[in-house]
Amino acid sequence: MDSIKKGYLLNALSVLMMAIGPLLSKFGLLHISPAKAAVINTATIIIASYLWGVFSRKRVRFYVEKEIIWLALFNSLGVIFLFISMDLLSPVEVGFLGRFYTVFAVFLSVFILGEKMPKGEGSFIVLAILGAFLFVNKGGVSETSIMGSIFALLYTFFFALTNVFIKKTVSGEKNSNSILFTNNCVTMLFVLIYSVIVGELFNTQHQVEGVLLIVLSSILTGFLGTILLYEALKYLRFSIANVSRAMSPILLAAMSYPFFPVELTLLNLIGAGLLVISILLLSIGDQQKEKLKKQAS
């Protein structure tokens, strides 16, 4: 398997993990507060990351770098806003609004990472974004609270910003698991401060079921999904990897339907089709470009 195909496979697995997590988180938040869920989420990822380091015989390192601190700060805001939005909205609505992540990711990759966007590739990305907007058309989702929508958009922006800094930080010399471990250790500090400020850290009223659901969601999304993304970014460009993630609301809607039924309109279905087609075209174009580079060298 060549590097590009490996990158797409890792990214696809990451998307799958990211689609399962929100549904589990929503059920967990029925029994536990958003601030405490954020603390449990971060602690779970730290423990899972450390244990994976022991199991794989590649013990985690704590990177003391300015980029990692910025990464953790943005990640902290993303985690906090994610659980607040999950508490206010259904997972399907959060997944739909979360596709604005694609918009943020593409523009941040151009302005911060300096990635160039060929005209043909730009057209496919615009097509994917158009598909995302059609798929989230109001005819297919229930009315959402204004605050929930604002927090959902904020979490997508800060996660996109986090991943921009991850792309700047990830390299062949750095271990993905160690980056994840360092990121969440620093994130824990910010999340704990937030929990103390809102007065939820020392609130012992919670159900074991809620804690277990948040832990499972954190392992699938925060640990496995993120590690797979980190590895995928070693082989794929940031803009390509994140446009591909626009498929996650389709998976999330399918898995959430038995619990949160959503009526899909014709526009929603057209949007889903545009997403899939544009992602396939981007994938094929990126593989051909890589082959031409290898032939030239």
Side-chain angles (χ1 to χ4, degrees), residues 67-75 162 165-166 169 183 230:
E67 287 80 6
I68 296 288
I69 303 302
W70 279 111
L71 189 156
L73 174 60
F74 299 142
N75 185 67
T162 297
F165 274 78
I166 288 172
T169 304
N183 179 22
Y230 286 8

Side-chain angles (χ1 to χ4, degrees), residues 110-151:
V110 173
F111 289 109
I112 295 180
L113 296 179
E115 291 190 355
K116 294 182 179 180
M117 190 182 301
K119 291 183 179 179
E121 191 172 273
S123 300
F124 295 147
I125 291 176
V126 169
L127 191 66
I129 294 173
L130 174 61
F133 276 104
L134 289 175
F135 191 58
V136 304
N137 182 270
K138 282 293 181 181
V141 297
S142 62
E143 291 298 321
T144 59
S145 73
I146 294 177
M147 289 305 298
S149 299
I150 291 173
F151 282 120

Side-chain angles (χ1 to χ4, degrees), residues 38-148:
V39 172
I40 294 171
N41 170 268
T42 308
T44 300
I45 297 170
I46 291 172
I47 294 170
S49 181
Y50 178 81
L51 292 177
W52 175 249
V54 174
F55 177 78
S56 63
R57 296 182 180 179
K58 294 181 180 179
R59 291 185 177 275
V60 292
R61 290 179 54 195
F62 188 90
Y63 295 118
V64 183
E65 297 179 8
K66 182 176 65 175
E67 287 80 6
I68 296 288
I69 303 302
W70 279 111
L71 189 156
L73 174 60
F74 299 142
N75 185 67
S76 304
L77 293 171
V79 169
I80 292 168
F81 293 145
L82 168 62
F83 282 104
I84 293 176
S85 64
M86 285 295 301
D87 189 47
L88 297 173
L89 307 173
S90 76
V92 177
E93 291 165 338
V94 172
F96 286 164
L97 291 170
R99 282 313 86 213
F100 281 91
Y101 172 94
T102 303
V103 180
F104 296 139
V106 169
F107 285 105
L108 286 172
S109 68
V110 173
F111 289 109
I112 295 180
L113 296 179
E115 291 190 355
K116 294 182 179 180
M117 190 182 301
K119 291 183 179 179
E121 191 172 273
S123 300
F124 295 147
I125 291 176
V126 169
L127 191 66
I129 294 173
L130 174 61
F133 276 104
L134 289 175
F135 191 58
V136 304
N137 182 270
K138 282 293 181 181
V141 297
S142 62
E143 291 298 321
T144 59
S145 73
I146 294 177
M147 289 305 298

